[in-house]
């Protein structure tokens, strides 16, 4: 179910007191917004900024009946208190995250939006995490109906948004498992995974603990050390971000002329 935004309005006295000796009292017909994370905002008729606010306070309480209300938000030594002498509105409204539209939820037909590093349904609020650097394409998965994504991990992979349907880790493993040798002991580098991360680790672990994170980018060359060179959003680099031989062979990641 969507989260709720509380909206209260009326002729109010607004008082703020804080640990920095800031004391302020205002009076007017205002609107009080209490967001799902308890952020409390007090807006008047002027401009877009609230006249007072507390971001994610420790606690928020609302007291009163239909004719009046009192909102008290506390965060450490700061207190925001709104006392309505006359209430004109008090409602709880459904709200969701806003983001870039990327498709339709196959489960409930609600709108899918990209919000930060996730894709979220604006109706059922189902959420799917995106790998770092991934983009959502216009394609749709034939199996589940979710959007397809484009992500670079050594090469370009086009996968379903749901990792349970098509796994980035499986795709990288199929392509790059045992392709390169460990520069420290010569054993095969194996594709391994951790939450939110795909990396290469020495096949002789725990005797050899060499590991390398696979960056967002594509393999475009070989480094003198024997590891691959990646074209990334910030330029070319060896898989080993500390590789001295790559720095020697290039000028700050750029081939010497």
């Amino acid at each position: 179910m969507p989260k709720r935004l509380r909206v209260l309005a009326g002729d109010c006295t607004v008082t703020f007191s804080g640990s920095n000796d800031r004391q302020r009292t205002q009076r007017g017909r205002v609107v009080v917004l209490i967001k799902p994370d308890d952020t409390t905002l007090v807006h008047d008729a002027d401009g877009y900024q609230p006249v007072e606010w507390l971001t994610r306070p420790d606690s928020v309480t609302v007291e009163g009946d239909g004719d009046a209300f009192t909102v008290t938000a506390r965060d450490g030594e700061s207190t925001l208190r709104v006392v309505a002498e006359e209430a004109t509105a008090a409602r709880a409204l459904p709200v969701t995250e806003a983001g870039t539209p990327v498709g339709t939820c196959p489960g409930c037909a609600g709108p899918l939006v990209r919000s930060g590093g996730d894709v979220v349904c604006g109706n059922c609020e189902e959420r799917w995490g995106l790998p770092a650097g991934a983009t959502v394409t216009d394609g749709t998965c034939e199996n589940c109906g979710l959007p397809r994504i484009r992500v670079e991990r050594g090469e370009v992979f086009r996968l379903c948004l749901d990792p349970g349907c098509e796994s980035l880790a499986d795709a990288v493993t199929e392509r790059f498992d045992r392709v390169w040798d460990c520069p420290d002991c010569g054993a095969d580098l194996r594709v391994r995974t951790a939450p939110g991360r795909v990396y290469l680790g020495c096949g002789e672990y725990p005797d050899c603990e060499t590991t390398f994170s696979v960056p967002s980018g594509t393999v475009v060359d070989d480094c003198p050390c024997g590891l691959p060179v990646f074209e990334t959003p910030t330029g070319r680099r060896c898989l080993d971000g500390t590789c001295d031989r790559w720095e020697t062979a290039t000028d700050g990641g750029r081939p010497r002329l």
Side-chain angles (χ1 to χ4, degrees), residues 39-107:
T39 293
T40 303
L41 309 167
V42 182
H43 284 274
D44 67 354
D46 186 33
Y48 66 92
Q49 286 189 310
V51 294
E52 290 295 354
W53 70 93
L54 269 181
T55 303
R56 298 185 182 90
D58 297 329
S59 65
V60 177
T61 59
V62 179
E63 303 171 288
D65 52 29
D67 297 325
F69 61 81
T70 299
V71 176
T72 305
R74 291 187 174 91
D75 187 36
E77 297 181 27
S78 297
T79 300
L80 171 60
R81 186 175 177 85
V82 183
V83 179
E85 307 297 335
E86 176 192 353
T88 55
R91 297 187 64 186
L93 305 173
V95 292
T96 64
E97 298 175 50
T100 304
V102 294
T104 301
C105 177

Side-chain angles (χ1 to χ4, degrees), residues 1 16 18 39 48 51 54 79 96 115 119 129 161 165 171 188 215 217 233 235-237 244:
M1 294 293 294
F16 182 90
T39 293
Y48 66 92
V51 294
L54 269 181
T79 300
T96 64
S115 176
V119 170
L161 172 65
C165 189
D188 292 336
R236 293 193 175 190
R237 50 156 287 192
D244 294 334

Side-chain angles (χ1 to χ4, degrees), residues 171-192:
V172 176
T173 298
E174 182 178 353
R175 177 63 182 85
F176 294 116
D177 192 50
R178 299 182 184 272
V179 169
W180 298 289
D181 297 332
C182 173
D184 293 326
C185 73
D188 292 336
L189 287 176
R190 306 300 307 273
V191 176
R192 306 187 188 280

